[in-house]
Amino acid sequence: MLDAKIPAGKLEEKWNNYKGHCKLVNPANKRKLEIIVVGTGLAGASAAAALGELGYKVKAFCFQDSARRAHSIAAQGGINAAKNYQNDGDSVFRLFYDTIKGGDYRAREANVHRLAEVSVNIIDQCVAQGVPFAREYGGLLNNRSFGGTQVKRTFYAAGQTGQQLLIGAYQAMERQVALGNVEMFSRHEMLDVVMIDGKARGIIARDLVSGKLERYFGHAVVLCSGGYGNVFYLSTNAMGSNATAVWKAHKKGAFFGNPCMTQIHPTCIPVSGDHQSKLTLMSESLRNDGRIWVPKQKEETRRANDIPEEERDYYLERRYPAFGNLVPRDVASRAAKERCDAGYGVGTTKQAVYLDFKYNLINKYGRTEASKQGIHNPDQETLIRLGKEVVKEEYGNLFDMYEKITGENPYEVPMRIYPAVHYTMGGLWVDYELMTSVKGLYCLGEANFSDHGANRLGASALMQGLADGYFVIPYTIGNYLADEIAVKPIPTTHEAFEAAEAHVSERINTLLNIQGTESVESFHKRLGKIMWEKCGMARNEKGLKEAIVEIKALREEFWKNVRVPGEINEMNPELDKANRVADFLELGELMCMDALDRRESCGGHFREESQTEEGEALRHDDEFMYVSVWNYKGDERMEMLKEPLNYEVIQPTQRNYK
């Protein structure tokens, strides 16, 4: 039941061997085959563009008013690739090793090595599309450092890399739209997968403007709908980001892998009050040149600029001297939480730490005077080394965004940051071909579980999305569709389409007819509070058991007392949100069940009962060296399967960034 379909042979030869022996579909037959792509972020747009370019008939769906509004635009810092332009020791193997280690040895070797291999092609593809990567004075592409690595392999476009990459993929997709190879459906949300004879053969989508349910056939369905971080309510995700597509697929038989593996990003603007509906990311790239610190004195009341250097604790540099401020995200996040919980936090809530560039001292006093004012080693200071204008060029939009949100000028005072929910490493279980446990149903990018284990390294999300869409799915989907060329398009009047639409319609009507007293938003906020407090940065058995009981009760209350205003056959954002929150209430419980079962700490999953004397995550490879794979059995019953993780090339060890 869990055949990962990993090719035989040496690790570094698996992908080339696969490409050399997989089945092909000739160009004439490609025109007869229809593929549905759900989601138009980096994974979806690149997949639609690549498949359309090959000649398949593609239908692409997004719930936004434009494919360009996919949440991939929010990625800021960069995209990894093993180009080794810096000549600092990088290689495909080094990227592979860093990704496996960064994921705390809970990822599948074969998938990760393929990701590292194709990373080198991504940059060439994007440059050819006109993506304006930063360049050095001589014209070569520039790189910067990200967490979990000791080389510079991150390509970037100021602080808006995701937006620029998405524009490139969007333009490639729109070219196929103009040629008639891709049909674009904006303002459409997938609400169910249609199964015929055990294969995915289409979807039910809702036109979010008219409210009408519509049926679409496809020889294969490709889900590229992103992660499920919004189950926590407060996260760095756009408020519209949701898990409905993958959750519907899960309930139709697609296994869910590692649902408890969620990532907390260490550099986000802290929560300021109950009025907030989302949090804002400050790119990890800022850790490339900034230094993170807290006062050495508890409950410090002085302003940051008034605290002398000798009274500042650069705790990441102190605890992890080899990597310093560039430790992986899970390590940096827990370290910030530990300092704040110990009473060293800053700001009005005391739930923040400083990210410091020392602009004020450098600008005010200059290099010579800087040391007199408490900067004891000025050669290491960012502004001295780079100059304000260079920093503006690399990070300016991030600093502007911070000032607009907080009212503080980060050129003059240190930023205040704190960890927040950002990314989900878990997702639909897929094999080496990126096919789920349902035949003909594929899952790409953040929506699947495959590449990042228990923790994703910074700048690897964009890499995975484009790798899956541009360079993996064109081969692997052909291997499946080669056997489907004789299948004629199935009319959407087929009984399976009728039944799927009826099921969706019944649920929508049920939601609208409850007519309770509590808003959808309030249920979402209450769920988020449970998840953050009991399944967030730190988890324990008692809290997880309580969370499962509380979520069950909350879900029961939701279906009795939620109020959804408006009508069905109209634009009704509250109805859209109710559908999504209903799914979050089920997914949240599964996340807690998975976290409860995994009685170890690894990456973003930190069980308080399993830590070293120094407070670091303590894995138990003898018991938990597997992917937890959940199978929905109906009537809210879940069965857990296990995919063993066999490391043939890398020997797992306890991570050490000291």
Side-chain angles (χ1 to χ4, degrees):
M1 294 178 68
L2 282 177
D3 182 8
K5 298 180 184 175
I6 299 172
K10 294 181 179 178
L11 185 65
E12 63 273 17
E13 297 174 358
K14 290 182 187 295
W15 180 231
N16 277 335
N17 287 341
Y18 177 90
K19 290 190 294 182
H21 295 89
C22 64
K23 298 175 184 177
L24 300 177
V25 181
N26 76 48
N29 285 330
K30 286 189 176 81
R31 294 193 289 270
K32 303 174 185 176
L33 296 170
E34 301 179 29
I35 301 174
I36 289 172
V37 176
V38 178
T40 57
L42 285 183
S46 59
L51 295 171
E53 182 78 32
L54 288 173
Y56 293 107
K57 295 171 66 176
V58 179
K59 302 184 187 84
F61 294 81
C62 72
F63 68 77
Q64 299 93 345
D65 56 357
S66 167
R68 275 187 58 183
R69 291 176 64 84
H71 190 58
S72 296
I73 65 167
Q76 297 167 344
I79 176 171
N80 288 331
K83 285 293 213 180
N84 196 31
Y85 284 165
Q86 304 293 324
N87 200 29
D88 57 357
D90 201 10
S91 65
V92 167
F93 182 85
R94 181 74 64 181
L95 174 53
F96 159 67
Y97 173 79
D98 286 345
T99 305
I100 290 286
K101 178 183 176 183
D104 220 351
Y105 306 96
R106 291 295 178 263
R108 191 189 289 153
E109 269 192 338
N111 287 62
V112 177
H113 196 278
R114 176 177 63 189
L115 175 66
E117 287 179 67
V118 303
S119 72
V120 298
N121 300 326
I122 296 171
I123 303 305
D124 297 337
Q125 174 97 352
C126 294
V127 169
Q129 290 174 343
V131 174
F133 287 121
R135 294 180 181 269
E136 296 177 332
Y137 179 75
L140 297 176
L141 296 184
N142 203 359
N143 293 103
R144 56 189 176 201
S145 301
F146 257 60
T149 72
Q150 291 181 305
V151 299
K152 287 188 174 184
R153 66 162 64 101
T154 304
F155 297 79
Y156 64 96
Q160 50 183 245
T161 313
Q163 181 175 358
Q164 297 302 328
L165 290 172
L166 184 62
I167 289 172
Y170 169 79
Q171 289 177 147
M173 182 178 69
E174 284 299 307
R175 177 174 178 271
Q176 297 305 315
V177 171
L179 292 172
N181 296 328
V182 175
E183 187 176 3
M184 187 69 229
F185 296 89
S186 59
R187 284 294 191 183
H188 280 67
E189 183 166 23
M190 178 196 129
L191 295 182
D192 209 353
V193 178
V194 178
M195 302 286 296
I196 299 176
D197 297 330
K199 297 180 179 180
R201 291 300 193 193
I203 66 170
I204 304 297
R206 183 167 181 265
D207 183 327
L208 299 183
V209 176
S210 69
K212 180 183 176 184
L213 294 179
E214 299 174 355
R215 310 168 186 178
Y216 297 94
F217 165 80
H219 289 88
V221 177
V222 182
L223 301 182
C224 312
S225 52
Y228 49 92
N230 265 353
V231 72
F232 290 89
Y233 186 70
L234 284 179
S235 78
T236 65
N237 292 274
M239 285 301 292
S241 298
N242 64 85
T244 288
V246 295
W247 194 248
K248 300 307 184 193
H250 173 58
K251 298 187 80 170
K252 279 295 180 73
F255 298 158
F256 210 110
N258 290 340
C260 78
M261 302 299 193
T262 54
Q263 181 171 83
I264 313 297
H265 197 294
T267 53
C268 301
I269 297 178
V271 176
S272 60
D274 288 338
H275 63 281
Q276 282 183 270
S277 59
K278 77 175 299 296
L279 298 174
T280 303
L281 174 70
M282 287 286 103
S283 170
E284 181 173 315
S285 61
L286 295 172
R287 291 200 280 150
N288 186 56
D289 288 303
R291 301 177 73 193
I292 295 173
W293 63 277
V294 293
K296 289 183 178 178
Q297 178 177 312
K298 287 187 177 182
E299 305 298 334
E300 178 64 74
T301 58
R302 288 175 292 178
R303 294 180 303 174
N305 292 343
D306 295 334
I307 301 174
E309 185 77 3
E310 62 270 16
E311 295 183 35
R312 302 180 180 191
D313 178 15
Y314 296 95
Y315 59 90
L316 290 178
E317 298 172 31
R318 169 172 55 82
R319 291 177 60 175
Y320 309 102
F323 283 73
N325 295 294
L326 290 175
V327 292
R329 290 174 175 177
D330 61 310
V331 177
S333 294
R334 283 195 298 275
K337 181 179 186 297
E338 184 275 328
R339 287 292 80 190
C340 291
D341 290 349
Y344 297 95
V346 301
T348 55
T349 64
K350 300 301 180 184
Q351 291 295 303
V353 299
Y354 288 127
L355 176 57
D356 197 347
F357 281 73
K358 289 191 172 64
Y359 288 106
N360 55 323
L361 291 176
I362 306 301
N363 290 336
K364 185 175 181 181
Y365 300 110
R367 178 171 181 170
T368 303
E369 291 295 318
S371 58
K372 296 179 182 178
Q373 299 299 322
I375 302 178
H376 301 304
N377 192 351
D379 287 333
Q380 294 182 356
E381 298 307 326
T382 297
L383 281 187
I384 292 175
R385 188 159 45 84
L386 299 177
K388 181 176 180 180
E389 292 309 312
V390 175
V391 173
K392 259 190 170 181
E393 185 177 322
E394 289 202 15
Y395 306 113
N397 63 308
L398 300 174
F399 283 77
D400 293 342
M401 183 164 61
Y402 182 88
E403 184 172 9
K404 287 180 180 178
I405 292 172
T406 66
E408 298 177 355
N409 185 349
Y411 290 106
E412 298 176 359
V413 297
M415 290 182 178
R416 286 176 292 109
I417 58 169
Y418 193 71
V421 173
H422 177 58
Y423 188 88
T424 50
M425 286 74 67
L428 290 188
W429 181 89
V430 293
D431 59 24
Y432 187 75
E433 297 184 311
L434 304 185
M435 188 190 289
T436 69
S437 52
V438 173
K439 288 185 178 180
L441 181 65
Y442 293 81
C443 191
L444 279 56
E446 187 180 356
N448 75 30
F449 89 101
S450 68
D451 291 352
H452 306 296
N455 174 63
R456 174 177 67 78
L457 293 183
S460 286
L462 306 185
M463 174 177 63
Q464 185 206 352
L466 292 180
D468 288 354
Y470 281 139
F471 300 108
V472 178
I473 196 65
Y475 288 94
T476 61
I477 203 169
N479 195 49
Y480 168 75
L481 290 176
D483 295 327
E484 301 293 314
I485 57 177
V487 177
K488 304 295 183 185
I490 299 173
T492 56
T493 53
H494 189 283
E495 60 183 11
F497 282 93
E498 296 271 4
E501 182 180 328
H503 176 72
V504 171
S505 180
E506 180 184 5
R507 174 176 158 121
I508 290 175
N509 278 285
T510 300
L511 283 168
L512 206 66
N513 291 329
I514 295 171
Q515 293 298 303
T517 60
E518 196 166 338
S519 70
V520 177
E521 187 82 355
S522 64
F523 280 104
H524 193 185
K525 186 176 287 191
R526 288 164 63 188
L527 172 65
K529 185 175 177 63
I530 295 170
M531 294 298 297
W532 177 249
E533 291 181 352
K534 298 180 178 179
C535 194
M537 260 193 287
R539 298 113 183 241
N540 59 58
E541 182 176 358
K542 178 176 180 291
L544 289 167
K545 287 181 175 178
E546 290 173 351
I548 291 170
V549 173
E550 291 171 15
I551 293 171
K552 284 180 183 291
L554 185 64
R555 187 167 69 248
E556 185 176 340
E557 183 184 347
F558 174 88
W559 285 103
K560 289 180 179 178
N561 198 36
V562 71
R563 180 174 181 81
V564 181
E567 301 295 333
I568 293 176
N569 295 317
E570 64 180 13
M571 188 172 181
N572 189 343
E574 281 299 296
L575 179 57
D576 306 335
K577 185 172 176 62
N579 254 315
R580 298 162 187 169
V581 172
D583 294 332
F584 282 145
L585 285 164
E586 296 178 0
L587 174 55
E589 182 181 348
L590 179 61
M591 292 166 64
C592 293
M593 290 168 57
D594 191 44
L596 180 63
D597 179 81
R598 190 172 284 274
R599 298 179 307 278
E600 67 163 351
S601 293
C602 56
H605 169 66
F606 188 77
R607 283 288 295 266
E608 293 175 350
E609 304 94 334
S610 183
Q611 53 183 302
T612 65
E613 293 182 2
E614 296 80 20
E616 304 295 340
L618 180 61
R619 295 195 326 269
H620 299 298
D621 292 345
D622 56 332
E623 296 182 69
F624 298 100
M625 186 69 86
Y626 60 77
V627 178
S628 54
V629 185
W630 294 85
N631 179 22
Y632 180 72
K633 302 288 286 184
D635 298 325
E636 299 185 16
R637 291 180 297 114
M638 292 286 185
E639 172 193 28
M640 193 184 79
L641 310 172
K642 299 177 181 179
E643 180 198 342
L645 291 170
N646 301 310
Y647 289 96
E648 300 175 6
V649 175
I650 293 179
Q651 182 62 40
T653 59
Q654 287 296 327
R655 286 190 303 172
N656 183 359
Y657 293 97
K658 296 181 179 182

